[in-house]
Amino acid sequence: MTEANHRQTDKPVDTLFLERWSPRAYDGMPMPEADLMTVLDAARWAPSASNNQPWRFVYGIHGTEAFNRLANLLVDGNRRWAEKAGALVFVVSVNRTGAPGEETRRPIPTHSFDAGAAWMALALQARMLGYFAHGMAGVKQDEIPAALGFNEDMKMEAAIAIGRLGDPEALPEDLRSRETPSQRRPLSELAFEGRF
Ligand SMILES: Cc1cc2nc3c(=O)[nH]c(=O)nc-3n(C[C@H](O)[C@H](O)[C@H](O)COP(=O)(O)O)c2cc1C
């Protein structure tokens, strides 16, 4: 049994998993670069098929031109709260080994799965440093490849807002009422012995 952050489970999972959640109320303060590099480094240590490490990160710290460029690539529904994050990170995956043009290149079928593992490592390291990471699929997919200089192998996976908690009262009313940790389906609906 573990209880934390208005969440409860009957298994003895570490409280870290319950304490990670996705708030929208950030404090608008720049994230120190050393802390951002630490969370990106945690992501780098994620496992991946054949150790291909197909994740790439484009980041910007609050108050910089890079941050503004990334914030402009979020859909309005995300931008309105995420622009108060301390940093934005765009997680990109590469779907082939080697560099474009090399002959011995192979596809990486697990590129998105691997990038997902990196995001979770980032999110948990962020929480351990007192930050909160919030993933966002709501990005301007059509504009991103040109704006960020993608090569032909790159796929946009998700953006991440990272920062310290701000005052939920400062959120627009519709977001304020949703600013609470969510629950989960029971394990019995998700895990099956041997087959479905
Ligand atoms: C890949 C991914 C994309 C998401 N996209 C968005 C998004 O565009 N906007 C948003 O407000 N939340 C987004 N979320 C946050 C989820 O809604 C949230 O993780 C989920 O409701 C579970 O809540 P929790 O993270 O607080 O435990 C996204 C999360 C992930 C992992």
Side-chain angles (χ1 to χ4, degrees):
M1 166 86 158
T2 307
E3 205 171 338
N5 196 23
H6 309 288
R7 292 167 156 176
Q8 199 182 62
T9 173
D10 60 2
K11 305 291 184 292
V13 298
D14 195 278
T15 53
L16 177 62
F17 294 95
L18 306 185
E19 281 164 358
R20 183 221 57 81
W21 70 293
S22 305
R24 294 187 177 84
Y26 287 101
D27 69 359
M29 299 298 291
M31 184 174 183
E33 188 172 0
D35 289 349
L36 178 58
M37 291 304 129
T38 300
V39 303
L40 291 175
D41 202 57
R44 184 171 71 92
W45 287 104
S48 59
S50 303
N51 202 16
N52 278 320
Q53 305 163 61
W55 40 73
R56 302 290 183 271
F57 309 107
V58 182
Y59 65 86
I61 294 174
H62 191 101
T64 66
E65 198 185 319
F67 182 94
N68 295 339
R69 176 179 308 129
L70 297 179
N72 273 327
L73 294 169
L74 301 174
V75 298
D76 290 344
N78 283 328
R79 185 187 170 140
R80 65 185 181 136
W81 56 266
E83 65 188 1
K84 288 192 78 182
L88 292 171
V89 175
F90 278 37
V91 181
V92 176
S93 68
V94 291
N95 57 25
R96 291 180 74 80
T97 60
E102 280 176 22
E103 269 184 20
T104 55
R105 313 183 68 217
R106 282 171 293 107
I108 305 175
T110 57
H111 61 101
S112 290
F113 187 85
D114 296 337
W119 130 255
M120 189 59 174
L122 179 158
L124 294 177
Q125 180 65 72
R127 194 64 282 276
M128 291 169 89
L129 293 174
Y131 295 96
F132 294 84
H134 189 146
M136 293 171 282
V139 296
K140 297 177 182 169
Q141 285 285 356
D142 295 348
E143 297 177 27
I144 286 172
L148 301 188
F150 279 20
N151 67 35
E152 71 224 40
D153 299 338
M154 290 176 167
K155 174 179 181 267
M156 176 63 193
E157 296 289 351
I160 307 171
I162 314 174
R164 300 214 187 264
L165 280 189
D167 181 4
E169 294 301 315
L171 285 171
E173 164 51 30
D174 58 321
L175 296 182
R176 206 182 312 149
S177 54
R178 291 161 58 195
E179 189 71 350
T180 179
S182 57
Q183 302 302 323
R184 291 297 185 270
R185 296 176 183 185
L187 189 57
S188 58
E189 284 183 18
L190 307 170
F192 305 87
E193 187 175 11
R195 61 159 293 163
F196 285 109

